[in-house]
């Protein structure tokens, strides 16, 4: 039992990540805002707001709303709350200073600061100054609740971070494990290490397939296509092709030791090229994935402190499961070799 | 198969608690994003579980065959 | 000692090729006829990225067909003899040098024919030639090692393509990007980044091949 502690750890981590990943609510946010007027400088106008997970009614007393244009705020005269997720904001006439786009901000102590970038568009031409500038009363911008960040378009699918991304981490970890075993094989020509390397590549490909399929579905809902022309996506697809080639190469050599030697060498090549494809090329190119081509990385934007422990748990959990499965496959292989 | 069904039910019950707190009724949002893209999460989770379980079942079948071979080898 | 050995082995490769002239002509014919096929099927390639990618795809296939023979053409006995009289690594280095020279030459000849028969919409010719030299050189180094691997696994041409294409795709992509920069006449940091990447890939592939070859040549 004690020998298998890491398997229990893996299961626990995975259970935690699935539970926390699905049970933690999404932070409140603004889904849409509609302006009643095309021209906002002539007369007062209203903005109808639809929120998600918001508590407009409960927080009615402390609810403020204002529009931002070129860093200058214009406060709502009156906030008319319909229910928890609906509110109508009454604004004074206002002309834009710079772009004819306004960012909508709302604040209450319970929901914190809600921001919708470029929420309202006006047909008015840009003029010299805002007619009414105010100082919005914001006690604290801190959000004092435990929730995942609200992101436009992503919404709840931000939880896929705990499901889709760990597939790739598991694949890369298994391929690294395979690489380590390739080196161990080449040091002493012990065929067992080659078997380990082979089995972990097979499991890595399963995780890779799952990563591709889940990524494809997620891409359909956020980027609008099943397969986007993305460096990282193409890089992983090609990595999988090169490891499939590794399996083909293994099939084409009869002698066990020769097969192990030749395929280990090819596998080392494939691994180095994977590092270039997944690690280096996306940095030189634009990519839709976070952390590449000017997109913010996991560390500073997409992965906030609420998500980080869950994400790491999921990654570690799936890596352990992957190593576990490859270990089972290896033991089966040994059993088969011993009896045939 | 029973375990799988149980897990599916568990997952669905979790997701239920996750977004039952909000009442959304904006038509455009509903038609465009379903339930705030939660369906995407569920589909992805189901696919991963289905994939892993399918793989484990296949592994199990392989092991059965192997056990048979080993047993026959011992008898002869 | 080392350099003399390598020099002799490179000379041997050259002699081999001149003796089997049909092989050299075969590759050149392959490139020319592929370009003709492109000419007849496209008439004129107006789109520069397509024009550029088409050239690199032709070069990729030329590299596979040309270098596939590198290890496969030698008989087992001859290889064993070479390994006993010379350092196996020296043989690899010699083959790499030879393949580098021949593929770069083929690339330069190829772009001349390609530019003549289809069109040559390149603004920065110097950079384009640099891209071909760097790209073909990296492809040659990579495919030499792949050819050594493939020769152990049944020697067939399909295996060479299956093993080589995914692994050498980063090289091809960097080559396409760099030559695209040259065709558009852009010489910013982006172009030099890809030039650096090509050189780094070439060095990495060559170093890996050099380190791992001792495990490979034994039977």
């Amino acid at each position: 039992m004690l020998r298998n502690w890491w398997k229990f750890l893996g299961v626990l981590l995975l259970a935690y990540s699935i539970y926390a990943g699905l049970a933690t609510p999404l932070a409140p946010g603004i889904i849409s805002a509609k302006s009643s007027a095309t021209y906002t400088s002539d007369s007062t106008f209203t903005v109808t707001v639809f929120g998600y997970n918001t508590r407009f009614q409960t927080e009615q007393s402390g609810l403020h709303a204002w529009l931002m244009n070129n860093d200058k705020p214009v406060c709502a005269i009156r906030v008319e709350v319909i229910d928890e997720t609906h509110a109508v904001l009454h604004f004074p006439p206002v002309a834009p200073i710079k772009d004819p786009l306004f960012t909508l901000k709302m604040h209450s102590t319970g929901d914190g600061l809600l921001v919708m970038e470029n929420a309202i568009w006006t047909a008015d031409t840009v003029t010299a100054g805002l007619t009414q500038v105010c100082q919005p009363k914001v006690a604290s911008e801190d959000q004092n609740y435990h929730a995942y960040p609200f992101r436009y378009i992503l919404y709840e699918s931000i939880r896929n971070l705990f499901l889709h991304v760990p597939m790739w981490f598991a694949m890369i970890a298994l391929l690294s494990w395979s690489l380590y075993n390739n080196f161990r094989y080449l040091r002493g020509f012990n065929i067992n290490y080659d078997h380990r390397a082979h089995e972990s590549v097979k499991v890595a490909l399963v995780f890779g397939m799952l990563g591709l399929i889940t990524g494809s579905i997620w891409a359909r809902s956020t980027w609008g296509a099943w397969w986007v022309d993305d460096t990282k996506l193409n890089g992983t697809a090609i990595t999988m092709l090169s490891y499939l080639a590794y399996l083909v190469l293994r099939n084409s050599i009869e002698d066990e030791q020769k097969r192990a030697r030749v395929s280990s060498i090819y596998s080392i090549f494939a691994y180095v090229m994977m590092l270039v494809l997944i690690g280096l090329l996306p940095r030189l190119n634009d990519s839709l994935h976070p952390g590449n081509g000017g997109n913010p990385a996991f560390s500073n934007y997409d992965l906030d402190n609420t998500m980080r422990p869950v994400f790491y748990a999921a990654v570690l959990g799936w890596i352990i499961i992957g190593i576990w499965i490859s270990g089972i496959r290896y033991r089966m292989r040994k059993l088969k070799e011993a009896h045939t | 198969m029973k375990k799988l069904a149980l897990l599916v039910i568990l997952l669905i019950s979790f997701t239920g608690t996750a977004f039952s707190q909000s009442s959304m009724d904006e038509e455009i949002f509903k038609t465009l994003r379903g339930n705030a893209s939660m369906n995407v999460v569920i589909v992805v989770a189901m696919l991963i579980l289905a994939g892993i379980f399918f793989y484990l079942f296949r592994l199990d079948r392989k092991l059965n065959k192997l056990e048979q071979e080993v047993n026959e080898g011992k008898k002869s | 000692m080392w350099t003399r050995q390598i020099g002799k082995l490179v000379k041997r490769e050259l002699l081999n090729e001149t003796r089997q002239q049909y092989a050299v002509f075969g590759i050149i014919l392959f490139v020319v006829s592929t370009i003709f096929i492109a000419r007849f099927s496209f008439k004129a390639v107006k789109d520069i990225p397509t024009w550029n990618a088409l050239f690199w795809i032709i070069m990729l296939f030329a590299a596979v067909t040309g270098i596939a023979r590198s290890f496969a053409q030698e008989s087992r006995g001859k290889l064993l003899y070479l390994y006993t009289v010379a350092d196996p690594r020296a043989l690899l280095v010699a083959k790499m040098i030879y393949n580098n020279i021949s593929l770069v030459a083929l690339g330069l000849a190829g772009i001349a024919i390609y530019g003549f028969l289809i069109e040559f919409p390149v603004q920065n010719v110097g950079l384009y030639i640099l891209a071909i030299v760097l790209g073909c050189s990296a492809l040659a180094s990579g495919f030499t090692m792949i050819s050594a691997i493939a020769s152990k696994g049944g020697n067939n041409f399909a295996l060479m393509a299956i093993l080589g294409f995914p692994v050498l795709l980063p090289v091809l992509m960097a080559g396409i990007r760099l030559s695209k920069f040259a065709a558009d006449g852009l010489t910013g940091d982006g172009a030099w980044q890809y030039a650096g990447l090509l050189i780094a890939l070439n060095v990495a592939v060559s170093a890996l091949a050099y380190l791992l070859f001792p495990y490979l040549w034994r039977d």
Side-chain angles (χ1 to χ4, degrees), chain A residues 174-237:
Chain A
L174 279 164
L175 293 179
S176 308
W177 174 239
S178 165
L179 179 81
Y180 173 62
N181 279 304
N182 284 329
F183 280 128
R184 284 210 288 188
Y185 170 75
L186 288 178
R187 223 165 38 204
F189 299 109
N190 181 348
I191 199 75
N192 283 343
Y193 292 132
D194 178 61
H195 289 337
R196 274 191 192 281
H198 184 204
E199 297 304 335
S200 60
V201 165
K202 282 187 194 163
V203 182
L205 284 174
V206 172
F207 278 103
M209 265 330 282
L210 286 174
L212 270 188
I213 295 168
T214 55
S216 177
I217 289 164
W218 197 10
R220 181 73 189 82
S221 89
T222 43
W223 299 330
W226 296 107
W227 189 280
V228 289
D229 194 22
D230 182 78
T231 331
K232 224 170 201 173
L233 173 58
N234 289 334
T236 45

Side-chain angles (χ1 to χ4, degrees), chain A residues 183 186-187 189 231 238-239 241-242 244-246 248-249 252-253 258 261-266 268-270 272-273 276-277 280-281 283-285, chain C residues 142 145-146 149-150 152-154 159 162-164 166-171 173 177 193-194 197 201 204-205 208-209 212-213 215-219:
Chain A
F183 280 128
L186 288 178
R187 223 165 38 204
F189 299 109
T231 331
I238 288 153
T239 300
L241 273 185
S242 62
L244 284 171
Y246 165 86
V248 171
L249 177 66
S252 67
I253 306 173
K258 188 177 164 189
R261 260 189 296 120
V262 174
S263 63
S264 294
I265 289 165
Y266 182 71
I268 292 168
F269 257 89
V272 171
M273 285 304 165
V276 175
L277 276 170
L280 201 63
L281 277 181
R283 263 165 242 277
L284 299 181
N285 259 317
Chain C
M145 188 59 185
I146 296 294
I149 292 173
K152 296 283 172 190
L159 189 63
I162 292 170
L163 296 178
V167 170
L168 292 177
L169 202 107
V171 174
M173 267 167 74
R177 292 271 152 71
Q193 250 179 358
Y194 283 109
L197 179 67
L201 280 173
V205 167
L208 265 179
L212 295 173
F213 193 66
Y215 295 105
L216 193 65
W217 66 267
R218 279 176 270 206
D219 252 325

Side-chain angles (χ1 to χ4, degrees), chain A residues 332 336, chain B residues 53-69:
Chain A
M332 280 168 64
K336 198 173 182 179
Chain B
F53 280 119
F54 174 72
Y55 187 70
L56 288 180
F57 277 116
R58 259 191 44 189
L59 207 64
D60 192 72
R61 257 215 314 273
K62 249 184 160 174
L63 190 60
N64 278 341
K65 235 192 249 163
L66 193 64
E67 273 174 343
Q68 261 172 17
E69 270 174 38

Side-chain angles (χ1 to χ4, degrees), chain C residues 123-146:
Chain C
Q123 299 199 18
N124 191 338
V125 180
L127 189 64
Y128 201 87
I129 287 178
L130 181 75
I132 289 172
V133 170
L134 292 179
C136 284
S137 164
L139 276 182
S141 307
F143 272 123
T144 307
M145 188 59 185
I146 296 294

Side-chain angles (χ1 to χ4, degrees), chain A residues 73-305:
Chain A
V74 176
C75 289
I77 309 163
R78 195 160 65 82
V79 177
E80 182 188 327
V81 173
I82 297 165
D83 61 32
E84 293 285 37
T85 55
H86 290 78
V88 179
L89 315 172
H90 296 258
F91 282 101
V94 53
I97 306 177
K98 218 173 168 189
D99 310 311
L101 285 166
F102 292 97
T103 293
L104 176 67
K105 292 193 179 184
M106 290 177 83
H107 180 266
S108 69
T109 40
D111 284 346
L113 188 66
L114 313 178
V115 182
M116 189 183 194
E117 301 282 348
N118 304 334
I120 307 243
W121 175 84
T122 170
D124 276 316
T125 44
V126 174
T127 56
L130 293 170
T131 43
Q132 318 234 350
V133 180
C134 71
Q135 204 53 53
K137 281 167 276 179
V138 177
S140 154
E141 288 195 6
D142 296 339
Q143 295 186 320
N144 49 354
Y145 44 77
H146 188 74
Y148 295 141
F150 179 91
R151 299 246 174 280
Y152 196 61
I153 296 184
L154 270 183
Y155 305 126
E156 298 276 10
S157 78
I158 202 166
R159 299 171 200 279
N160 275 351
L161 186 74
F162 313 128
L163 297 164
H164 160 72
V165 185
M167 295 293 116
W168 298 119
F169 278 78
M171 181 183 95
I172 291 168
L174 279 164
L175 293 179
S176 308
W177 174 239
S178 165
L179 179 81
Y180 173 62
N181 279 304
N182 284 329
F183 280 128
R184 284 210 288 188
Y185 170 75
L186 288 178
R187 223 165 38 204
F189 299 109
N190 181 348
I191 199 75
N192 283 343
Y193 292 132
D194 178 61
H195 289 337
R196 274 191 192 281
H198 184 204
E199 297 304 335
S200 60
V201 165
K202 282 187 194 163
V203 182
L205 284 174
V206 172
F207 278 103
M209 265 330 282
L210 286 174
L212 270 188
I213 295 168
T214 55
S216 177
I217 289 164
W218 197 10
R220 181 73 189 82
S221 89
T222 43
W223 299 330
W226 296 107
W227 189 280
V228 289
D229 194 22
D230 182 78
T231 331
K232 224 170 201 173
L233 173 58
N234 289 334
T236 45
I238 288 153
T239 300
M240 286 174 66
L241 273 185
S242 62
Y243 276 95
L244 284 171
Y246 165 86
L247 298 181
V248 171
L249 177 66
R250 289 189 71 97
N251 268 333
S252 67
I253 306 173
E254 284 295 324
D255 180 60
E256 198 175 44
Q257 287 287 345
K258 188 177 164 189
R259 172 172 61 200
R261 260 189 296 120
V262 174
S263 63
S264 294
I265 289 165
Y266 182 71
S267 160
I268 292 168
F269 257 89
Y271 191 86
V272 171
M273 285 304 165
M274 176 189 80
L275 292 184
V276 175
L277 276 170
I278 303 179
L280 201 63
L281 277 181
R283 263 165 242 277
L284 299 181
N285 259 317
D286 284 335
S287 172
L288 294 164
H289 281 93
N292 310 118
N295 280 3
F298 285 133
S299 51
N300 53 21
Y301 178 77
D302 270 317
L303 196 58
D304 77 337
N305 285 328

